[in-house]
Amino acid sequence: MSMSETFTSPSLITRIAIGKAVGLVIGLLGFLLAPAMIPDIDIYFRWGLLLWYASIGAVIGVFGVFTYHPILKLPMPWWVRAPIIGAWFNFVLALFTFDKLGTYMSAILSDGGRTASPFWVVLEGALIGLLIGFLCTRYGGEGRETIPQTPE
């Protein structure tokens, strides 16, 4: 399979590359814009954001192969699957970095009320997942046709 065939036909590699690239762009935006919103933000947290969203993109790209849930016996279209993955990743992020993320959210949204909850990143993850899932499916395809079949 040539390079041009990889990017024109449905391909798992294309899905992963698109997911990682979009995630990296989103992470890069977070990396570059975070100091403007939170002047004393930790550099390790910024690097974590950069790599976190690239990882989310890669996982959403890989999961494009699964279009049917075998246990629930339900179809899993990209617009259900990708936001769930993004929301789950950011839910785990909120659990691991609850205190630090809460401090940063309070600094950004200075009202100190419910909008400063670290769990708002779950909604953000769902929206980012939706964007990544759309682009992966649009340009990389989905389902079994993304996996090349080798002759036996």
Side-chain angles (χ1 to χ4, degrees):
M1 183 180 282
S2 70
M3 181 67 85
S4 63
E5 289 174 352
T6 300
F7 289 106
T8 56
S9 63
S11 166
L12 184 59
I13 299 301
T14 303
R15 283 188 61 87
I16 295 169
I18 291 168
K20 286 178 82 169
V22 174
L24 192 63
V25 167
I26 292 168
L28 189 61
L29 283 172
F31 184 86
L32 296 174
L33 295 176
M37 294 182 283
I38 309 159
D40 59 340
I41 192 166
D42 185 18
I43 187 68
Y44 295 112
F45 194 83
R46 291 175 59 205
W47 277 106
L49 282 176
L50 176 66
L51 300 174
W52 184 258
Y53 287 109
S55 299
I56 291 174
V59 171
I60 289 172
V62 168
F63 270 85
V65 173
F66 302 102
T67 57
Y68 186 79
H69 197 289
I71 296 170
L72 299 176
K73 308 264 190 250
L74 293 171
M76 293 288 287
W78 69 267
W79 47 269
V80 171
R81 187 179 57 241
I84 288 173
I85 294 169
W88 177 256
F89 262 75
N90 275 13
F91 177 69
V92 172
L93 176 71
L95 291 178
F96 282 134
T97 63
F98 186 82
D99 293 335
K100 188 171 285 222
L101 196 57
T103 303
Y104 293 156
M105 293 291 283
S106 293
I108 294 170
L109 306 166
S110 60
D111 68 352
R114 281 183 264 162
T115 58
S117 170
F119 289 109
W120 280 107
V121 297
V122 176
L123 177 61
E124 175 195 20
L127 294 174
I128 289 171
L130 188 66
L131 173 67
I132 293 172
F134 170 75
L135 293 173
C136 285
T137 303
R138 172 74 173 90
Y139 297 105
E142 76 175 330
R144 292 181 188 214
E145 66 266 9
T146 61
I147 303 171
Q149 303 298 317
T150 56
E152 294 180 19

